[in-house]
Amino acid sequence: MMFREADATAVKLSEYKPYDWLIDTVDLDFQLDPKATRVQAKLVMRPNPKGRRNAPVVLDGDELTLASIKLNGKTLAATDYDVSASSLTIKNPPREKFTLEIETIVNPSANTKLMGLFRSNAIYCTQCEAEGFRRITYFPDRPDVLSVYTVRIEADRDEAPFLLANGNPVEAFGIKGSNRHYAIWHDPHPKPSYLFALVGGKLDFIEEPFTTMSGREVMLRIFVECGKTQLTGFAMDALKRSMRWDEKVFGCEYDLDVFHIVAVSDFNMGAMENKGLNIFNDKYVLASPETATDIDYENIEAIIAHEYFHNWTGDRITCRDWFQLCLKEGLTVFRDQEFSSDERSRPVERIGDVRRLKSFQFAEDAGPLAHPVRPDTYREINNFYTVTVYEKGAEVVRMLKTLLGERGFRKGMNLYFKRHDGDAATVEDFLKCFADANKRDLSQFARWYSQAGTPELAVRGSYDAKAKTCTLDIEQMIPPTPGQSAKQPMVIPLRLGLLDGKGRDIALKDAKGKAVSDNLIVLEKAAQKFVFSGVKEKPAISLNRGFSAPVKLATNFGEDNLRFLAKYDSDPYNRYDAVEQLAMNELVASASGSNKSPEALIEALSNALDNASLDDAFLAQLFSFPDESDIAQKIGGNIDPDAILAARRKIKRDVGVALSDKLAARYQKLTNHRAFSPDAKAAGRRALRNACLDLLAATEGGAEHGRAFKQFEEADNMTDRMAALAVLCQHPIPERETALAAFEQRYRNDPLVLDKWFSVQARIAEADALGRVHKLTKHPAFSMTNPNRMRALIGVFAAGNPSQFNRPDGKGYAFIADTVLGLDSKNPQVAARLLSAFKSWRMLEPSRRALAEKELKRIAETPGLSPDVTDIASRSLA
Ligand code: PHE
Ligand code: ZN
C-alpha cells in the first residue's frame, strides 16, 4: 500500500499522505471466464493538487497478469513503466488530465483466498475490502481515492444468466450470433475501490418494492443459489425494517434505484457493504424454522441491518485510510445494536452485547494482540477486523451518546452526515462534529481511540450516617498493552443508582444538594471522589448501570450488595450483572478447590424464577452462566482449564439439583404447541425452556437425559432440536450418538445445517474430542477451503472447547498449528483468524504455556508464511 515503509513492512498512521492523483472515472469491462477473465480498465486521471508535483503513478497489483497498457490511447513502451509483484509504476506521466487503459487477466477459479474475483459454487463474485481490488486490476487500492464507476460485464449466457454490479442498471442485451450476453451498470456515487462489487452466475431471486421517505421507489432483490428462495423471506423483511428504521432514527434515506443482496457459500467474513450490491455469507441470509436457530435469525437481522446501515456510515462517508476502520465499523455496529434494541428487547440486547464484549474484546485487550480502537500501525490490515475495532468501537460511540445525551448526539450525527457526505473522513473529523454541535471539548475523550487496554476502576464506597452522605472514591488504572506502557486518564461516564432499604432508587443529589442529572457521573482524573448528600440510610450501590462504560470494576461493596441488586435493581443490566457476579465468584472459588454450595446464587436464581415481572429472555440470560473462557479471564493467570471445566459443571449441577422442581415446572409451562414464530418473545420462551433443560440434565439423572432426547426427537424447529442435541452432547450417554446419527442423516444435503452438527461435536469436553474432530475433517461434507466449514469444526474446537484445545499433552495446540500451516497458502485470512485462538496463551499454567509457546514458535519459524499468519504469530509471541 501507499505509505508502506521501504525496509520494514509496517504501515504507520503518522506517515499518511494523500494520493498524488485523482481518478474521476473508472470504466471497467469484464469478459468473464472461469480460468482467464479479461479485465479492461479505463481510468481518467489528473494530478491531485494536494499531492506531490513530480510524482510517478504508482498502482497496486497482486497476482495479476498484465496484458496491455495504454496512455491517452497509445501503448506504453516497456521503458515507460515498471511492474513488480505488488505494483505497476508509470514513471513519467503527463502533468495534466489523461486516460490510462490497462488490461489484466485473472483466474477466478484458482482464487482460494476469496479476495478479488473468485468463484463460489460456480458463481462469480468479488470481495474487495480491504485490499482485494488490486487482485482485479492495477489501481491505487486505498480508501481515499474516490471515483465514479461504470461497469460492463460480459459472460456466457448459460454459465452466468445474471450479471450484477454496483449502482443502477443501464442496459442488458444478448450478443447476436453467440452465447454471450452483457450488462452495464453505473454507480453515480463516487466510491473507493474497496466498495466495488460484481456478481455473475445462475441465481434465483425474490424482489419487493420499497418507497423511501421522500417517495422514491426502490426495488429490493435478494439473490441466492438456485432453489433457495424459500429461505429468504426473513432477510427481506429485516431489510425493509432496517431501511425504515434508518429513515426514522437517523434521517438516512436510500439513494439508488435498486438495492441488491447476493448470498454465496464461500465467504471469509459475515457480509460486505458494497454500494448497492451487498454480498453475504449465505449463513446470514438463509433461514427457515427447520434450518435456523433463534440465534441465527437474530444474527441475520443484525447483519442485514449492519450492511444496509453502512450505506451512509461507510459508503456515503468512507474512511480516509484503514487506521480509521472504526469510523465506519464501530459506528455501524452501534447503529445495528440500536436497531436490534428497538426491534426486540433493549435490556436483553444490551446484556447480549456486553456479554460478547466482555468475552471477546476484554480478552483481546488483556493479551498480546491488544490494540487501540484506532491502531496507529499495522503489518496486515486483514488482522484488524477485530472485536476491538468493531465492538469496543461501538462502545465508544455509545459513551459519546451517554455524555452528550440523546439530542446532543443526534445533533452531532446530523452535522457529520451534512459536513462529510462524499468524504473519506477520519476519527478527528467525526469527533469534531460532536464537539462543534455541542460546543464541547472532546480532546480527552479521544483517548478512547488511541489507548488500548480495558480501564480498571478501584471503587471504595462509604456511608456517613451522621452527615447522611454516601461517598465513592474511584481510581482508574489502565494496564500496559503492546507498545503502550504508560497511560493517561480517560473520560469515563458512569451511570449509577443508590437503593434504599426497600430497593427503591434514591433521588441522587451531589454534595451541595444539587440533583445529579441523568444519574450520571463522569470520571476524568486518575482519582476522584464523588459525594452524594441527603442519603438517609446506608444504600446499596449500583454502579456502571447499563454498562455505561466498558471498564472493569473492583469494589468494596461486598456480596450482600450483590444479593440486594440481584433482587431489586431497577436497571435490568445491573440486575443481570449482579447475578452473573454471584455466579462468577462461586466459579472462581470452586476452580481453586472450594467445595461449598453456591447458596447466594441459588437464592438469587430462585427469586428470579418466582418473579413474574421478569421476561423469559432475561431469565434465560441469568441461567446461562459465564463460560469457561470468561472464568479464565476473571482468574487472570496460572490457568488450569480442567479445573475451570469442573467448576462450571459443578455449579450447573448444584443449581440444577437445588432448583430441579422449579426448573421442571417452568420447562413444562413453556412447552407449547403454537406454530413457530421467530419473534423475540417466542425466542425468549425457547431460550428459557432450553436453559431449564440444560440445568436439569446437569443433574445427571437418567430421566433428564431422556427428557433431552425426547425434545430432540419431537422438536418442530431447529432451535429446540439443536438445544437438545447440545445438551445430549455434554453427557457421555448412548442417546448422544443416536441423536448425532439421526441429525446427520436428516441434514446430510444441507451444509449450513451440518455446520451445527460439526460445531456441537467440536465442543464435546471429553478426552476423545480431538480424535472426533480429526475424524470429522474426513467427513464428505467437510472442506478445508470453505470458511464456514473450517470455522464450524476447527474454529469452534480451538475457541469453544478450552479444556480440549488446551489438552495437557499439547496435542490440541499441535493440531491447530498444523491446520494453520496447511491452510495458510490457500486462505491466509482464515488461517490467521484460527491462529488467534492462541491469544490468551500467556495466562496458562506453566506446562501448558510452554507447549503453546512451542507451537507458536514452530509456526513463526516456518518459511514462506503469509503476512497474515506471520503478523499474528509474531505479535502473539512478542
Ligand atoms: N466491512 C464488512 C462489515 O462489517 C466486513 C468485511 C471486512 C467483509 C473485510 C469482508 C472483508 O461489515
Ligand atoms: Zn461493517
Side-chain angles (χ1 to χ4, degrees), residues 584-625:
M584 188 63 98
N585 293 346
E586 301 290 353
L587 287 161
V588 170
S590 160
S592 59
S594 148
N595 203 17
K596 83 183 215 322
S597 161
E599 293 309 332
L601 175 67
I602 288 168
E603 180 200 279
L605 291 173
S606 177
N607 287 340
L609 276 179
D610 293 340
N611 185 337
S613 73
L614 300 178
D615 69 42
D616 298 331
F618 179 84
L619 283 172
Q621 290 287 355
L622 298 187
F623 281 89
S624 40
F625 306 128

Side-chain angles (χ1 to χ4, degrees), residues 273 306 310 329 390:
E273 69 264 24
H306 178 97
H310 269 314
E329 296 304 348
Y390 276 66

Side-chain angles (χ1 to χ4, degrees), residues 188-445:
H189 302 279
K191 66 168 174 289
S193 54
Y194 83 87
L195 291 173
F196 167 80
L198 165 159
V199 171
K202 290 196 188 104
L203 302 162
D204 280 345
F205 69 93
I206 60 160
E207 65 180 6
E208 283 189 35
F210 180 88
T211 307
T212 69
M213 62 201 279
S214 73
R216 284 193 322 101
E217 279 267 302
V218 177
M219 190 54 88
L220 314 178
R221 294 192 183 90
I222 298 181
F223 294 86
V224 290
E225 288 171 0
C226 294
K228 296 185 174 171
T229 50
Q230 78 282 1
L231 300 172
T232 55
F234 183 77
M236 179 62 90
D237 179 59
L239 174 60
K240 288 191 291 183
R241 286 185 283 121
S242 306
M243 295 177 80
R244 201 55 85 206
W245 185 91
D246 213 14
E247 292 182 341
K248 203 176 97 209
V249 177
F250 285 100
C252 291
E253 184 177 5
Y254 188 60
D255 51 11
L256 289 166
D257 302 339
V258 296
F259 183 78
H260 288 165
I261 287 174
V262 183
V264 297
S265 296
D266 300 83
F267 203 73
N268 283 345
M269 308 282 270
M272 181 62 212
E273 69 264 24
N274 318 298
K275 182 79 188 189
L277 179 57
N278 289 358
I279 298 181
F280 271 65
N281 185 326
D282 57 0
K283 176 178 164 63
Y284 296 115
V285 172
L286 305 176
S288 71
E290 174 63 19
T291 58
T293 63
D294 291 326
I295 307 282
D296 293 327
Y297 277 99
E298 202 179 307
N299 287 334
I300 289 169
E301 180 174 297
I303 296 178
I304 293 265
H306 178 97
E307 305 310 330
Y308 175 72
F309 296 158
H310 269 314
N311 189 59
W312 274 93
T313 51
D315 299 2
R316 290 287 288 248
I317 307 178
T318 192
C319 301
R320 188 192 72 174
D321 53 69
W322 291 121
F323 297 104
Q324 321 295 330
L325 186 57
C326 66
L327 178 71
K328 71 178 178 80
E329 296 304 348
L331 177 55
T332 305
V333 170
F334 169 79
R335 275 151 53 68
D336 82 57
Q337 290 177 350
E338 285 298 288
F339 168 73
S340 296
S341 302
D342 286 346
E343 297 286 305
R344 294 168 173 256
S345 150
R346 182 163 285 270
V348 173
E349 172 71 21
R350 187 65 188 142
I351 292 168
D353 291 340
V354 175
R355 275 188 99 131
R356 274 186 294 277
L357 181 82
K358 288 203 206 165
S359 297
F360 304 111
Q361 201 281 322
F362 281 20
E364 183 164 271
D365 244 354
L369 301 181
H371 57 274
V373 170
R374 182 175 65 181
D376 46 26
T377 174
Y378 62 77
R379 279 167 204 280
E380 175 49 65
I381 188 56
N382 289 331
N383 290 337
F384 283 83
Y385 289 79
T386 60
V387 280
T388 297
V389 169
Y390 276 66
E391 319 295 323
K392 188 173 179 181
E395 291 302 316
V396 175
V397 175
R398 187 175 298 283
M399 283 190 284
L400 205 51
K401 182 175 174 191
T402 301
L403 286 166
L404 300 174
E406 178 96 45
R407 286 203 37 224
F409 180 74
R410 257 311 288 278
K411 278 201 274 179
M413 285 299 294
N414 288 346
L415 183 56
Y416 178 62
F417 289 131
K418 198 167 144 223
R419 191 184 275 176
H420 292 293
D421 186 12
D423 286 352
T426 63
V427 165
E428 283 76 11
D429 294 331
F430 177 70
L431 283 179
K432 190 155 193 314
C433 292
F434 293 88
D436 290 356
N438 293 278
K439 303 198 170 47
R440 282 273 281 257
D441 178 1
L442 294 172
S443 47
Q444 188 188 351
F445 181 81

